[in-house]
Amino acid sequence: LLRKEKALNVVRDLESGGTEHKGSRAIVARTTLNPASIKDVVFKLKSTSNTLVILGNVSENKVTISIGVSDDLVAKGWHAGNAVKALAKHIQGGGGGQPAFATAGGKNPEGIDKVLADWSNHFV
C-alpha cells in the first residue's frame, strides 16, 4: 500500500509539471520509484491526451528508462520504442517496446542525465 501511495504522490507531482515540446506536454523526470510502480505511473500520466512521459529511474541498483506516448501523439508518428532504443545507449543498456510504451534497462546511473538532456532529439 505504501508503494502505491508513493507512486500516486509522484503522479500528482509530475502532473503539475511538464514542458512544452512540439505543441505537446512533455513530462520528463528522474525518479527513484520501486521498479514495479513505474509502468503504473507512466500509464496514468500518458492517459492525458497530447502527453509524452519520460522517466529515468534509479532504484535498487537498477537503471531504467520508461517512455509513454499518448495515443494521439502515436497517431502523429511518435514512437516510444524507437526513442528508448536510441536513449538506452546512455545508460549502457538496451530496450524496446511499442509506439505507446517502451522501457530500457542499463547499468550506468550517470547516463540518466544524458537521457534527460537528449530525449527531445527523438520526438520531432
Side-chain angles (χ1 to χ4, degrees), residues 99-121:
F101 179 74
T103 59
K107 52 186 185 278
N108 178 19
E110 290 79 44
I112 293 292
D113 290 336
K114 289 188 182 126
V115 170
L116 299 180
D118 183 37
W119 68 269
S120 63
N121 297 317

Side-chain angles (χ1 to χ4, degrees), residues 24-28 38-39 41-48 50-55 65-71 73-74 78-81 83-84 98-103 123:
S24 70
R25 182 170 70 138
I27 299 172
V28 182
I38 296 168
K39 188 173 182 181
V41 170
V42 171
F43 271 77
K44 179 92 179 90
L45 291 168
K46 82 176 194 74
S47 66
T48 306
N50 210 28
T51 301
L52 167 68
V53 182
I54 300 174
L55 300 183
I65 305 166
S66 300
I67 300 178
V69 178
S70 61
D71 294 341
L73 293 178
V74 168
W78 291 24
H79 197 294
V84 88
Q98 307 303 313
F101 179 74
T103 59
F123 292 96

Side-chain angles (χ1 to χ4, degrees), residues 3-113:
R3 189 174 82 208
K4 265 214 178 323
E5 264 178 40
K6 183 178 180 201
L8 284 172
N9 287 337
V10 169
V11 167
R12 274 196 293 274
D13 291 347
L14 293 174
E15 268 179 335
S16 63
T19 57
E20 192 278 334
H21 178 71
K22 307 280 184 205
S24 70
R25 182 170 70 138
I27 299 172
V28 182
R30 171 192 290 267
T31 58
T32 56
L33 286 166
N34 176 303
S37 303
I38 296 168
K39 188 173 182 181
D40 293 339
V41 170
V42 171
F43 271 77
K44 179 92 179 90
L45 291 168
K46 82 176 194 74
S47 66
T48 306
S49 64
N50 210 28
T51 301
L52 167 68
V53 182
I54 300 174
L55 300 183
N57 197 72
V58 181
S59 174
E60 300 168 12
N61 295 322
K62 290 189 174 96
V63 183
T64 59
I65 305 166
S66 300
I67 300 178
V69 178
S70 61
D71 294 341
D72 54 329
L73 293 178
V74 168
K76 289 182 184 175
W78 291 24
H79 197 294
N82 294 344
V84 88
K85 276 185 199 140
L87 292 168
K89 67 180 187 281
H90 295 309
I91 59 168
Q92 296 170 352
Q98 307 303 313
F101 179 74
T103 59
K107 52 186 185 278
N108 178 19
E110 290 79 44
I112 293 292
D113 290 336

